[in-house]
Amino acid sequence: MRLTYTADLWWKNAVVYCLDVETYKDGNGDGIGDFRGLTQQIDHLDRLGVTCIWLMPFFPSPSRDDGYDISDFYSVDPRLGTLGDFVEFMRTARDRGMRVIADLVVNHTSDEHPWFKEARSSRDSPKRDWYVWQDEPGPVDPKAIVFPDKEDSLWELDKKTGQYYYHSFYKFQPDLNTANPQVRDEIARILGFWMELGLSGFRVDAVPFLIEGIGGDPHEFLADLRAFMNRRDGTSILLGEVNLPYPDLMKFFGDAGNGDEVTMCFDFIAMQRFHLSMARQNPEALAEALRDRPEPPDDSQWAMFVRNHDELTLDKLTEAQKQEVFDAFGPEKNMQVYDRGLRRRLPPMLGGDMRRLKLAYSVLFSLPGTPVLFYGEEIGLGENLKAEGRMAVRVPMQWSAKGGFSPNPKTSVASPTGKFGPRNVNVADQRRDPDSLLSWIRLLVERYRESPELAWGAYEILDAGDVAVLAHRADAEGATVVAVHNFADREAKVDLVLEKLDGCETLVDLLVDGTLDLPADGRVKFTLEPYGTRWLRASVPDAAPEDTSAKSE
């Protein structure tokens, strides 16, 4: 494929890396990560092959919800640095060819935000209608409460004014009234401000909650935001957190032919089916999700992930399926959260089995969509279950055998211990080990970037001849990549029939040296080791990119 074309839609085959500035690297020795520390470590991301950094909230906040309770959308939390430090980080990332996006958390504010303080000062306040108020609390479906361990209602009484305000999440996070045109204008100004400082887009937090309560067509708001961003920078994106069944989720891409709302959506369905498949050592649940998944608009994309910064939610599985995953990967009660997910990272879930870890990330990078890594996944970072709730997975990055996160022993969060502590899991050691998880993921990133078929091509689930094997192919402009993964702890006999590969006589293994002959009938047989993986390329050699320039007569 022509690189000029794929570069225009950079997000379709990007490598996105999510990190929390506070837990990534301490640059001034106060025990808290900051932009100076992050900037000093940016070459690690460059060497890894990251093309887009996603920053978790870095704005001023009381930090009662790890920064998602924002008290100022136009500045940087003083603990993490200054706007000057942010701009220096942006310049350094741009110098390394990396784009940056940030969390857009505008469905609510902190109750300490000046807007809310003004809104609750009087029923006649000019900011009163920036939030949602009622004289009496509305009826509440217990299933609608996001944090049932902390909240029992979606309404909180404001004693001064005698009315209740609405909060989708914690009571200290009042929802903004996005039906108010002034609020919508202010959200656009927030986007415009950070885009002027270099951001290439935003990961939109809890998108369905953002448009909740808007009269008329709520999707018009998302389309307006996207149009505003396109006017400022046509290459900017919105990455949406939309955890809904596929038919409902598709509406968030927009109705226009190329998509006019959210640019990318996380595929929560496939992620949950992936973990069920790992638990069963049988990929059929994941294969079924991929068969059922609709195609996004032409210029849109799915975002694929193994783990994110929240709990590993299993809410789209049946109760029996969810219990299977709990039994396999989080049997103890303190490993579970909200009765719907796990507060664990993948390496401890898999007992540190390097074969299964390498399998998991090979699946991630080969599936159709854009891979998103959570910081530390590249080295097999563990969790700390002594931390509360979702904070268990938001541990400090481990740079060396002594930790390397901060010279100050009094850090704000605790590291994993034992098998997953810094002495056994760190960047410095894995950089020198060709068999490390870091080396494996660097290889996967490199091969993924060399294989635009995986992100751009039409894909098909294949019959692999063994129930333990997931096989799929991706085809784009006459080139084909076939990915084959053995989910079981046993050898698997693979028997594939690859049709419509005219002119191809061999399959080149992209992950290890070697080739396979491709007979005229397209039938390929080979054995996969336990948890083994193959990426096989079949393409016409030395094919030149299409020449679209005008030809003289």
Side-chain angles (χ1 to χ4, degrees), residues 339-544:
D339 195 35
R340 64 171 182 259
L342 293 168
R343 59 192 205 103
R344 308 197 70 194
R345 282 180 174 253
L346 188 64
M349 286 167 53
L350 299 179
D353 188 332
M354 187 63 69
R355 301 172 304 164
R356 301 188 77 185
L357 284 169
K358 288 184 174 182
L359 167 74
Y361 291 105
S362 178
V363 172
L364 170 67
F365 279 92
S366 68
L367 289 180
T370 298
V372 180
L373 290 170
F374 186 37
Y375 78 93
E377 282 192 282
E378 72 272 28
I379 59 172
L381 191 63
E383 76 260 353
N384 188 321
L385 293 174
K386 293 181 180 179
E388 183 178 1
R390 298 174 296 175
M391 294 303 295
V393 302
R394 301 177 188 179
V395 294
M397 184 63 173
Q398 295 175 177
W399 296 102
S400 69
K402 294 184 178 180
F405 165 70
S406 171
N408 189 330
K410 296 182 179 179
T411 58
S412 56
V413 283
S415 297
T417 57
K419 183 176 181 179
F420 298 97
R423 184 176 298 277
N424 298 313
V425 177
N426 65 77
V427 173
D429 289 346
Q430 292 195 26
R431 281 183 60 193
R432 298 188 292 269
D433 181 0
D435 296 322
S436 68
L437 184 60
L438 177 59
S439 295
W440 176 249
I441 290 186
R442 286 175 63 179
L443 175 65
L444 292 175
V445 170
E446 184 176 331
R447 296 296 181 261
Y448 165 77
R449 293 286 291 174
E450 292 172 354
S451 306
E453 303 95 325
L454 295 174
W456 288 77
Y459 73 93
E460 177 187 0
I461 304 297
L462 304 174
D463 181 2
D466 190 310
V467 295
V469 176
L470 174 70
H472 69 280
R473 63 182 283 176
D475 298 270
E477 297 186 1
T480 299
V481 172
V482 178
V484 189
H485 295 91
N486 179 9
F487 277 61
D489 188 16
R490 62 169 174 80
E491 284 191 348
K493 303 293 185 181
V494 178
D495 186 350
L496 293 172
V497 177
L498 303 177
E499 299 176 334
K500 299 178 181 178
L501 293 178
D502 298 337
C504 298
E505 297 180 353
T506 58
L507 298 173
V508 179
D509 198 317
L510 300 181
L511 301 181
V512 297
D513 290 337
T515 61
L516 293 174
D517 291 333
L518 182 63
D521 63 1
R523 183 174 291 276
V524 180
K525 297 182 180 181
F526 58 93
T527 300
L528 267 182
E529 65 274 18
Y531 306 123
T533 176
R534 297 287 186 275
W535 291 13
L536 305 170
R537 175 183 292 285
S539 61
V540 178
D542 302 324

Side-chain angles (χ1 to χ4, degrees), residues 302-330:
W302 294 104
M304 309 302 294
F305 63 106
V306 167
R307 193 67 181 84
N308 65 8
H309 60 292
D310 286 329
E311 75 275 9
L312 197 166
T313 183
L314 305 169
D315 66 325
K316 296 299 183 290
L317 301 180
T318 67
E319 285 298 314
Q321 291 170 340
K322 182 178 68 174
Q323 192 59 49
E324 285 186 67
V325 180
F326 280 170
D327 290 343
F329 300 136

